[in-house]
Amino acid sequence: MKRPRQLVVTRGMSYISRSMDNLAPETLDQWLQAARDHDDREAYQQLVEQCHHLVRGVTLRETADPELADEIAQEVFVRGWLRRGQYRPGTNPRAWLLTIARNLLTEFRRRQARENRHLRELVRRELLRRVEQTDLN
């Protein structure tokens, strides 16, 4: 029995997410090869429609923030399009997209850690300033 289509909205763009259970990886591979070899946007859109739910699910699980998950998932597909020439035919397109997602999530965590360190340093300096002011009074 086929699963119903589900509309997923991502920052003003909508994708129809269908079950990927009935698609062979070879079909996804063919779509990605067409996108890579012939700049076929329609083929890439088919890939996006089939894999969006998977990619967004991973990003949501890792971020626990639906808005951020949507943003990262969208960036996965943008980077996939921009780097489609790096795709090696015969490899698993889902794994390729999830590798892009993993790399983006790693970048996000590193950026977040840097921002947290910076924020902690600002708070520490402000606390020291206040302690010094209190000692002077």
Side-chain angles (χ1 to χ4, degrees), residues 88-116:
R88 290 183 318 230
T91 60
N92 186 333
R94 291 180 193 123
W96 184 72
L97 290 169
L98 291 176
T99 299
I100 295 171
R102 185 189 68 223
N103 291 341
L104 281 168
L105 287 162
T106 300
E107 287 175 25
F108 166 74
R109 286 188 197 104
R110 285 179 181 158
R111 184 174 53 246
Q112 195 174 38
R114 275 192 307 271
E115 289 170 1
N116 287 343

Side-chain angles (χ1 to χ4, degrees), residues 35-135:
R36 187 195 69 172
D37 297 340
H38 308 291
D39 291 332
D40 187 340
R41 291 177 186 266
E42 288 181 26
Y44 192 73
Q45 180 62 32
Q46 291 290 330
L47 180 74
V48 169
E49 289 174 4
Q50 292 299 320
C51 296
H52 184 268
H53 188 70
L54 171 70
V55 171
R56 186 186 184 276
V58 168
T59 59
L60 181 59
R61 187 182 69 231
E62 294 296 320
T63 63
D65 178 344
E67 192 174 306
L68 181 59
D70 287 341
E71 190 175 320
I72 292 173
Q74 182 171 336
E75 183 64 21
V76 166
F77 292 108
V78 169
R79 284 195 185 184
W81 175 257
L82 295 174
R83 297 177 182 173
R84 64 194 179 278
Q86 296 174 6
Y87 175 72
R88 290 183 318 230
T91 60
N92 186 333
R94 291 180 193 123
W96 184 72
L97 290 169
L98 291 176
T99 299
I100 295 171
R102 185 189 68 223
N103 291 341
L104 281 168
L105 287 162
T106 300
E107 287 175 25
F108 166 74
R109 286 188 197 104
R110 285 179 181 158
R111 184 174 53 246
Q112 195 174 38
R114 275 192 307 271
E115 289 170 1
N116 287 343
R117 278 193 303 271
H118 180 68
L119 184 58
R120 283 193 304 268
E121 180 60 24
L122 290 175
V123 168
R124 187 185 71 75
R125 287 180 186 174
E126 179 62 19
L127 288 173
L128 286 173
R129 187 185 67 75
R130 289 182 183 183
V131 166
E132 289 172 357
Q133 270 186 339
T134 305
D135 288 345

Side-chain angles (χ1 to χ4, degrees), residues 8-36:
V8 180
V9 178
T10 305
R11 297 194 111 219
M13 297 179 70
S14 64
Y15 301 104
I16 297 175
S17 173
R18 295 184 214 119
S19 169
M20 293 184 295
D21 299 336
N22 58 358
L23 274 182
E26 295 81 24
T27 303
L28 299 174
D29 183 60
Q30 289 169 355
W31 286 337
L32 194 47
Q33 283 186 54
R36 187 195 69 172

